[in-house]
Amino acid sequence: MRKNSTKLIILAVIAIICMLLFAFYNIQGGFSYAFPKRLERLFAMVITGTAIAYATVAFQTVTHNRLLTPSVMGIDSMYEIVQTIIYFSLGSSSIFVVSRYLNFGVSIIAMVLFALVLYRFLFRADKHPIFLLLLAGMIIGTLLGSLVTFMQVIIDPVEYESLQARLFASFMNVKTELLFISAGIVILAFLYGTRILHKLDVMSLGRDNAINLGINYDKMVLRILILSSILIAVSTALVGPITFLGLIVSNLAYQYFATYKHWVLIVGASLISIIALVGGQFLVLHVFHLSTTISVIINFIGGLYFIYLLLKESRKAG
């Protein structure tokens, strides 16, 4: 336990250093103007990082698979298709694009409703309902992705350029007016999430053991999946999709902390996520000079890490 506490302190110190560097390093254009802008971006990265970390660790606990993330259910694809439909049918001058509150609300509602409908039709009293859910999520996610690609091919080029800016995660143009709304939703989700951490510890033992220990397993799985969907929906609607971040931070937390306790894993994954986002954005600003985006870097590293994990699992199986 002491070792894990020490590791958490080390991660917290690194995260604070990254945040201080991002907030104060090489401020240009007037401190009174630039510093508040950096604080807004920093706030957005903390919200996004912690939301994705909690959602991914909780999701992997109920699926008992460390290679799966909530995006496999097609939530990211749902965000993309909502934005594409708006641009395709109404154009970039539509109220659904101009009003960030309306766009934010429509995106979150669509993503959460998509998850709820998926659970409603697939969560039955089957022997292994979760695998049916994941398979359907992968198929629907692929279908939605194909539909998005088709619509983007025939969309107006000017509208397409504007659409692309929304489909790549970026912290340079954070929707400031949405920060407090997002923070409120995430805080409420976390208040509930902290109450079920001990149940996640038990559920990691497997369905039969959890039921024997008094957990209403199917009910808790449904609640956790809905909670994960809300957190991913908020982070995606706020800054855009970051596909592989959850996979990276959750698996690094599993390797770094030798524990089953979810409060350690989630806090550790959240700190790693903040370090990755803040440190990565610092590199984008001061090393790459905005020649790329943080989502491109994370997805590139995450893709390589995902291949590594697949090869590692296949060797174990062999």
Side-chain angles (χ1 to χ4, degrees):
M1 189 65 184
R2 282 185 180 178
K3 289 183 178 179
N4 287 330
S5 299
T6 303
K7 291 177 180 179
L8 286 174
I9 292 172
I10 293 172
L11 287 178
V13 170
I14 296 174
I16 292 172
I17 292 172
C18 289
M19 289 189 284
L20 291 175
L21 281 173
F22 180 83
F24 293 101
Y25 179 79
N26 195 27
I27 293 181
Q28 298 177 349
F31 184 87
S32 60
Y33 172 79
F35 183 67
K37 293 289 184 183
R38 291 195 179 187
L39 286 183
E40 290 171 359
R41 295 167 188 163
L42 193 59
F43 190 30
M45 285 185 273
V46 171
I47 292 173
T48 302
T50 52
I52 291 176
Y54 187 104
T56 304
V57 173
F59 180 82
Q60 290 176 341
T61 296
V62 299
T63 59
H64 302 288
N65 192 319
R66 295 181 177 182
L67 296 179
L68 298 176
T69 64
S71 61
V72 78
M73 296 185 298
I75 294 180
D76 288 351
S77 298
M78 194 61 196
Y79 172 79
E80 293 177 0
I81 198 168
V82 167
Q83 299 301 321
T84 303
I85 289 174
I86 291 174
Y87 275 83
F88 181 80
S89 58
L90 302 175
S92 58
S93 59
S94 165
I95 185 65
F96 290 95
V97 176
V98 176
S99 174
R100 290 186 171 182
Y101 293 107
L102 192 56
N103 186 281
F104 181 76
V106 168
S107 298
I108 289 181
I109 291 171
M111 286 184 279
V112 174
L113 283 179
F114 169 74
L116 288 174
V117 170
L118 197 62
Y119 305 152
R120 174 67 181 84
F121 285 102
L122 295 178
F123 250 93
R124 302 186 301 271
D126 298 332
K127 186 177 180 180
H128 301 293
I130 191 66
F131 298 111
L132 179 62
L133 173 68
L134 295 173
L135 179 60
M138 293 176 67
I139 294 172
I140 294 173
T142 303
L143 176 63
L144 293 177
S146 300
L147 181 59
V148 166
T149 302
F150 171 74
M151 296 178 69
Q152 289 176 356
V153 168
I154 59 178
I155 202 172
D156 181 85
V158 177
E159 305 290 356
Y160 176 76
E161 184 178 359
S162 177
L163 172 63
Q164 284 298 102
R166 286 184 176 269
L167 298 184
F168 285 93
S170 174
F171 293 95
M172 293 307 299
N173 298 310
V174 174
K175 307 172 184 73
T176 308
E177 60 269 31
L178 302 178
L179 277 177
F180 292 106
I181 298 175
S182 302
I185 296 173
V186 170
I187 289 172
L188 289 175
F190 275 15
L191 288 176
Y192 174 75
T194 54
R195 295 172 57 190
I196 61 172
L197 288 177
H198 64 287
K199 293 184 178 180
L200 285 172
D201 295 340
V202 178
M203 292 174 72
S204 64
L205 299 174
R207 176 188 174 87
D208 294 337
N209 290 325
I211 292 174
N212 289 335
L213 292 171
I215 300 294
N216 188 337
Y217 191 83
D218 290 338
K219 186 176 180 179
M220 282 307 304
V221 166
L222 184 59
R223 288 182 178 181
I224 291 168
L225 290 176
I226 292 173
L227 180 64
S228 298
S229 300
I230 292 172
L231 290 172
I232 293 296
V234 170
S235 63
T236 303
L238 180 64
V239 300
I242 310 178
T243 306
F244 285 107
L245 179 63
L247 177 76
I248 296 172
V249 301
S250 61
N251 280 278
L252 288 178
Y254 297 140
Q255 292 181 12
Y256 191 53
F257 299 100
T259 182
Y260 67 91
K261 289 189 173 294
H262 278 74
W263 78 265
V264 175
L265 294 173
I266 289 172
V267 172
S270 298
L271 290 172
I272 295 171
S273 186
I274 292 170
I275 293 169
L277 288 176
V278 178
Q281 190 63 31
F282 181 82
L283 292 176
V284 167
L285 284 171
H286 302 291
V287 177
F288 297 106
H289 304 291
L290 297 176
S291 60
T292 186
T293 63
I294 183 65
S295 61
V296 172
I297 296 175
I298 289 177
N299 287 337
F300 174 73
I301 297 174
L304 295 177
Y305 188 54
F306 183 66
I307 294 172
Y308 163 75
L309 291 175
L310 285 175
L311 293 174
K312 184 179 178 182
E313 291 297 320
S314 65
R315 286 173 185 169
K316 285 183 179 179

Coordinates of all heavy atoms in Angstrom, one line a residue, residues 116-166:
L116 N -27.9 3.9 -24.4 CA -29.0 3.3 -23.7 C -29.9 2.4 -24.6 O -30.3 1.3 -24.1 CB -29.9 4.5 -23.2 CG -29.4 5.3 -22.1 CD1 -30.3 6.5 -21.8 CD2 -29.2 4.5 -20.8
V117 N -30.1 2.8 -25.8 CA -30.8 1.9 -26.7 C -30.1 0.6 -27.0 O -30.7 -0.5 -27.0 CB -31.0 2.6 -28.1 CG1 -31.6 1.7 -29.1 CG2 -32.0 3.8 -27.9
L118 N -28.8 0.7 -27.1 CA -27.9 -0.5 -27.3 C -28.1 -1.4 -26.1 O -28.3 -2.7 -26.2 CB -26.5 -0.1 -27.4 CG -25.5 -1.1 -28.0 CD1 -25.9 -1.5 -29.4 CD2 -24.1 -0.6 -28.0
Y119 N -28.0 -0.9 -24.8 CA -28.2 -1.7 -23.6 C -29.6 -2.3 -23.5 O -29.8 -3.4 -23.1 CB -27.8 -0.9 -22.4 CG -26.5 -0.2 -22.4 CD1 -26.3 1.0 -21.7 CD2 -25.4 -0.8 -23.1 CE1 -25.0 1.6 -21.7 CE2 -24.2 -0.1 -23.2 CZ -24.0 1.0 -22.4 OH -22.8 1.6 -22.5
R120 N -30.6 -1.4 -23.9 CA -32.0 -1.8 -23.7 C -32.3 -3.1 -24.5 O -33.0 -4.0 -24.0 CB -32.9 -0.7 -24.1 CG -34.4 -1.0 -24.2 CD -34.9 -1.3 -22.8 NE -36.3 -1.6 -22.8 CZ -36.8 -2.8 -23.0 NH1 -36.0 -3.8 -23.2 NH2 -38.1 -3.1 -23.0
F121 N -31.8 -3.2 -25.7 CA -32.1 -4.3 -26.6 C -31.2 -5.5 -26.4 O -31.5 -6.6 -26.8 CB -32.1 -3.8 -28.1 CG -33.3 -3.0 -28.4 CD1 -33.2 -1.6 -28.5 CD2 -34.6 -3.6 -28.6 CE1 -34.3 -0.8 -28.9 CE2 -35.7 -2.8 -29.0 CZ -35.5 -1.4 -29.1
L122 N -30.0 -5.2 -25.9 CA -29.0 -6.3 -25.8 C -28.8 -6.9 -24.4 O -28.4 -8.0 -24.3 CB -27.7 -5.8 -26.4 CG -27.7 -5.5 -27.8 CD1 -26.3 -4.9 -28.2 CD2 -28.0 -6.6 -28.7
F123 N -29.2 -6.1 -23.4 CA -29.0 -6.6 -22.0 C -30.2 -7.4 -21.6 O -31.2 -6.9 -21.0 CB -28.8 -5.4 -21.1 CG -27.4 -5.4 -20.6 CD1 -26.5 -4.6 -21.2 CD2 -27.0 -6.2 -19.5 CE1 -25.2 -4.6 -20.7 CE2 -25.7 -6.1 -19.0 CZ -24.8 -5.4 -19.7
R124 N -30.2 -8.7 -21.9 CA -31.2 -9.6 -21.5 C -30.6 -10.6 -20.5 O -29.4 -10.6 -20.3 CB -31.8 -10.3 -22.7 CG -32.4 -9.3 -23.7 CD -33.1 -10.1 -24.8 NE -32.2 -11.0 -25.5 CZ -31.5 -10.7 -26.6 NH1 -31.6 -9.5 -27.0 NH2 -30.7 -11.5 -27.1
A125 N -31.4 -11.5 -20.1 CA -30.9 -12.5 -19.1 C -30.2 -13.6 -19.8 O -30.5 -14.8 -19.6 CB -32.1 -13.0 -18.3
D126 N -29.3 -13.3 -20.7 CA -28.5 -14.3 -21.4 C -27.3 -14.7 -20.5 O -27.1 -14.1 -19.4 CB -28.0 -13.8 -22.7 CG -29.1 -13.4 -23.6 OD1 -30.2 -14.0 -23.5 OD2 -28.9 -12.5 -24.4
K127 N -26.7 -15.7 -20.9 CA -25.6 -16.2 -20.1 C -24.4 -15.2 -20.1 O -23.8 -15.0 -19.1 CB -25.1 -17.6 -20.6 CG -24.1 -18.2 -19.7 CD -23.7 -19.6 -20.2 CE -22.7 -20.3 -19.3 NZ -22.3 -21.6 -19.7
H128 N -24.1 -14.7 -21.3 CA -23.0 -13.8 -21.4 C -23.5 -12.6 -22.2 O -23.1 -12.4 -23.4 CB -21.8 -14.4 -22.2 CG -21.2 -15.6 -21.5 ND1 -20.6 -15.5 -20.2 CD2 -21.2 -16.9 -21.8 CE1 -20.2 -16.8 -19.9 NE2 -20.6 -17.6 -20.8
P129 N -24.3 -11.7 -21.6 CA -24.9 -10.6 -22.4 C -23.8 -9.6 -22.8 O -23.9 -8.9 -23.8 CB -25.9 -10.0 -21.4 CG -25.4 -10.4 -20.0 CD -24.8 -11.8 -20.2
I130 N -22.7 -9.5 -22.0 CA -21.7 -8.4 -22.2 C -21.0 -8.7 -23.6 O -20.7 -7.7 -24.3 CB -20.7 -8.3 -21.1 CG1 -19.9 -7.1 -21.2 CG2 -19.9 -9.6 -21.0 CD1 -20.6 -5.8 -21.0
F131 N -20.8 -9.9 -23.9 CA -20.1 -10.2 -25.2 C -21.0 -9.9 -26.4 O -20.5 -9.4 -27.4 CB -19.7 -11.7 -25.2 CG -18.7 -12.0 -24.1 CD1 -19.1 -12.9 -23.1 CD2 -17.4 -11.5 -24.1 CE1 -18.2 -13.2 -22.1 CE2 -16.5 -11.8 -23.1 CZ -16.9 -12.6 -22.1
L132 N -22.3 -10.1 -26.2 CA -23.2 -9.7 -27.3 C -23.2 -8.2 -27.5 O -23.2 -7.7 -28.6 CB -24.6 -10.2 -27.0 CG -25.7 -9.9 -28.0 CD1 -25.4 -10.5 -29.3 CD2 -27.1 -10.4 -27.4
L133 N -23.2 -7.5 -26.3 CA -23.1 -6.1 -26.4 C -21.9 -5.5 -27.1 O -22.0 -4.7 -28.0 CB -23.2 -5.5 -25.0 CG -23.0 -4.0 -24.8 CD1 -24.2 -3.2 -25.4 CD2 -22.8 -3.6 -23.3
L134 N -20.7 -6.1 -26.8 CA -19.5 -5.7 -27.4 C -19.4 -6.0 -28.9 O -19.0 -5.1 -29.7 CB -18.3 -6.3 -26.7 CG -18.1 -5.9 -25.2 CD1 -17.0 -6.8 -24.5 CD2 -17.8 -4.5 -25.1
L135 N -19.9 -7.1 -29.2 CA -19.9 -7.5 -30.7 C -20.8 -6.6 -31.4 O -20.5 -6.1 -32.5 CB -20.4 -8.9 -30.8 CG -20.5 -9.5 -32.3 CD1 -19.1 -9.4 -32.9 CD2 -21.1 -10.9 -32.3
A136 N -22.0 -6.3 -30.9 CA -23.0 -5.4 -31.6 C -22.4 -4.0 -31.6 O -22.5 -3.3 -32.6 CB -24.3 -5.4 -30.8
G137 N -21.7 -3.6 -30.5 CA -21.1 -2.2 -30.5 C -20.0 -2.1 -31.6 O -19.9 -1.1 -32.3
M138 N -19.2 -3.1 -31.8 CA -18.2 -3.1 -32.8 C -18.8 -3.0 -34.2 O -18.3 -2.2 -35.1 CB -17.3 -4.3 -32.7 CG -16.4 -4.3 -31.4 SD -15.5 -5.9 -31.2 CE -14.3 -5.7 -32.6
I139 N -19.8 -3.8 -34.4 CA -20.5 -3.8 -35.8 C -21.1 -2.5 -36.0 O -21.0 -1.9 -37.1 CB -21.5 -5.0 -35.8 CG1 -20.8 -6.3 -35.8 CG2 -22.3 -4.9 -37.1 CD1 -21.7 -7.5 -35.6
I140 N -21.9 -2.0 -35.0 CA -22.6 -0.7 -35.2 C -21.6 0.5 -35.4 O -21.8 1.4 -36.2 CB -23.5 -0.4 -34.1 CG1 -24.7 -1.5 -34.1 CG2 -24.1 1.0 -34.1 CD1 -25.6 -1.4 -32.8
G141 N -20.5 0.4 -34.6 CA -19.4 1.4 -34.7 C -18.8 1.4 -36.1 O -18.6 2.5 -36.7
T142 N -18.6 0.3 -36.7 CA -18.0 0.2 -38.1 C -19.0 0.7 -39.1 O -18.7 1.4 -40.0 CB -17.7 -1.3 -38.4 OG1 -16.7 -1.8 -37.4 CG2 -17.1 -1.4 -39.8
L143 N -20.3 0.3 -38.9 CA -21.4 0.8 -39.8 C -21.5 2.3 -39.8 O -21.6 2.9 -40.8 CB -22.7 0.1 -39.4 CG -23.9 0.6 -40.2 CD1 -23.8 0.2 -41.6 CD2 -25.2 0.0 -39.6
L144 N -21.5 2.9 -38.6 CA -21.6 4.3 -38.4 C -20.4 5.0 -39.1 O -20.5 6.1 -39.7 CB -21.7 4.7 -37.0 CG -23.0 4.3 -36.3 CD1 -23.0 4.7 -34.8 CD2 -24.2 5.0 -36.9
G145 N -19.2 4.4 -38.8 CA -18.0 5.0 -39.4 C -18.1 5.0 -41.0 O -17.7 6.0 -41.6
S146 N -18.6 3.9 -41.5 CA -18.7 3.8 -43.0 C -19.7 4.9 -43.5 O -19.5 5.5 -44.5 CB -19.2 2.4 -43.4 OG -18.2 1.5 -43.0
L147 N -20.8 5.1 -42.7 CA -21.8 6.0 -43.1 C -21.3 7.5 -43.1 O -21.5 8.3 -44.0 CB -23.0 5.9 -42.2 CG -24.2 6.9 -42.5 CD1 -24.7 6.7 -43.9 CD2 -25.3 6.7 -41.5
V148 N -20.5 7.7 -42.0 CA -19.8 9.0 -41.9 C -18.9 9.3 -43.1 O -18.9 10.4 -43.7 CB -19.0 9.1 -40.6 CG1 -18.0 10.3 -40.6 CG2 -19.9 9.3 -39.4
T149 N -18.1 8.3 -43.5 CA -17.2 8.4 -44.6 C -17.9 8.7 -45.9 O -17.5 9.6 -46.7 CB -16.3 7.2 -44.8 OG1 -15.6 6.9 -43.5 CG2 -15.3 7.3 -45.9
F150 N -19.0 8.0 -46.1 CA -19.9 8.2 -47.3 C -20.4 9.6 -47.4 O -20.4 10.3 -48.4 CB -21.0 7.2 -47.3 CG -22.0 7.4 -48.4 CD1 -21.7 7.1 -49.7 CD2 -23.3 8.0 -48.1 CE1 -22.7 7.4 -50.7 CE2 -24.2 8.2 -49.1 CZ -23.9 7.9 -50.4
M151 N -20.9 10.1 -46.3 CA -21.5 11.4 -46.2 C -20.5 12.5 -46.4 O -20.7 13.5 -47.1 CB -22.3 11.7 -44.9 CG -23.5 10.8 -44.8 SD -24.3 11.0 -43.2 CE -25.0 12.6 -43.4
Q152 N -19.3 12.3 -45.9 CA -18.2 13.2 -46.0 C -17.7 13.3 -47.5 O -17.2 14.4 -47.9 CB -17.0 12.9 -45.1 CG -17.4 13.2 -43.6 CD -16.2 12.7 -42.7 OE1 -15.2 12.2 -43.1 NE2 -16.4 13.0 -41.4
V153 N -17.8 12.2 -48.2 CA -17.3 12.2 -49.6 C -18.2 13.1 -50.5 O -17.7 13.8 -51.4 CB -17.3 10.8 -50.2 CG1 -17.2 10.8 -51.7 CG2 -16.2 10.0 -49.5
I154 N -19.5 13.2 -50.2 CA -20.4 13.9 -51.0 C -20.8 15.3 -50.5 O -21.6 16.0 -51.0 CB -21.7 13.1 -51.3 CG1 -22.4 12.8 -50.0 CG2 -21.4 11.8 -52.1 CD1 -23.7 12.0 -50.2
I155 N -20.2 15.6 -49.3 CA -20.5 16.9 -48.7 C -19.8 18.0 -49.4 O -18.8 17.8 -50.1 CB -20.2 16.9 -47.2 CG1 -20.9 18.0 -46.4 CG2 -18.6 17.1 -47.0 CD1 -20.7 17.9 -44.9
D156 N -20.3 19.3 -49.3 CA -19.7 20.4 -49.9 C -18.3 20.6 -49.3 O -18.1 20.5 -48.1 CB -20.5 21.7 -49.6 CG -19.9 22.9 -50.2 OD1 -20.2 23.2 -51.4 OD2 -19.2 23.6 -49.5
P157 N -17.2 20.9 -50.2 CA -15.8 21.0 -49.7 C -15.6 22.0 -48.6 O -14.9 21.8 -47.6 CB -15.1 21.3 -50.9 CG -15.9 20.8 -52.1 CD -17.3 20.9 -51.6
V158 N -16.3 23.1 -48.7 CA -16.2 24.2 -47.6 C -16.8 23.7 -46.3 O -16.2 23.9 -45.2 CB -16.9 25.5 -48.1 CG1 -16.9 26.5 -47.0 CG2 -16.4 26.0 -49.4
E159 N -17.9 23.0 -46.4 CA -18.5 22.5 -45.2 C -17.7 21.3 -44.6 O -17.5 21.2 -43.4 CB -19.9 21.9 -45.5 CG -20.9 22.9 -46.1 CD -21.3 24.0 -45.2 OE1 -20.9 23.9 -44.0 OE2 -22.0 24.9 -45.6
Y160 N -17.0 20.6 -45.5 CA -16.2 19.5 -45.0 C -15.0 20.0 -44.2 O -14.6 19.4 -43.2 CB -15.7 18.7 -46.3 CG -14.7 17.6 -45.9 CD1 -15.2 16.4 -45.4 CD2 -13.4 17.7 -46.2 CE1 -14.3 15.4 -45.1 CE2 -12.5 16.7 -45.9 CZ -12.9 15.5 -45.3 OH -12.0 14.5 -45.0
E161 N -14.4 21.1 -44.7 CA -13.2 21.7 -44.0 C -13.6 22.1 -42.6 O -12.9 21.9 -41.7 CB -12.7 22.8 -44.8 CG -11.4 23.4 -44.2 CD -10.8 24.6 -45.1 OE1 -11.4 24.9 -46.1 OE2 -9.8 25.1 -44.6
S162 N -14.8 22.7 -42.5 CA -15.3 23.2 -41.2 C -15.6 22.0 -40.3 O -15.3 22.0 -39.1 CB -16.5 24.0 -41.4 OG -17.0 24.4 -40.1
L163 N -16.1 20.9 -40.9 CA -16.5 19.7 -40.2 C -15.3 19.0 -39.6 O -15.3 18.6 -38.4 CB -17.3 18.7 -41.1 CG -17.5 17.3 -40.5 CD1 -18.4 17.4 -39.3 CD2 -18.2 16.5 -41.6
Q164 N -14.2 19.0 -40.4 CA -13.0 18.3 -40.0 C -12.4 18.9 -38.7 O -11.8 18.2 -37.9 CB -11.9 18.3 -41.1 CG -12.2 17.4 -42.2 CD -12.2 15.9 -41.7 OE1 -13.2 15.3 -41.6 NE2 -11.0 15.4 -41.6
A165 N -12.6 20.2 -38.5 CA -12.0 20.9 -37.3 C -12.7 20.3 -36.1 O -12.2 20.4 -35.0 CB -12.2 22.4 -37.4
R166 N -14.0 19.9 -36.2 CA -14.7 19.3 -35.1 C -14.4 17.9 -34.8 O -14.6 17.4 -33.7 CB -16.2 19.5 -35.3 CG -16.7 20.9 -35.1 CD -18.2 21.0 -35.2 NE -18.7 22.3 -35.0 CZ -19.1 22.8 -33.8 NH1 -19.0 22.0 -32.8 NH2 -19.5 24.1 -33.7

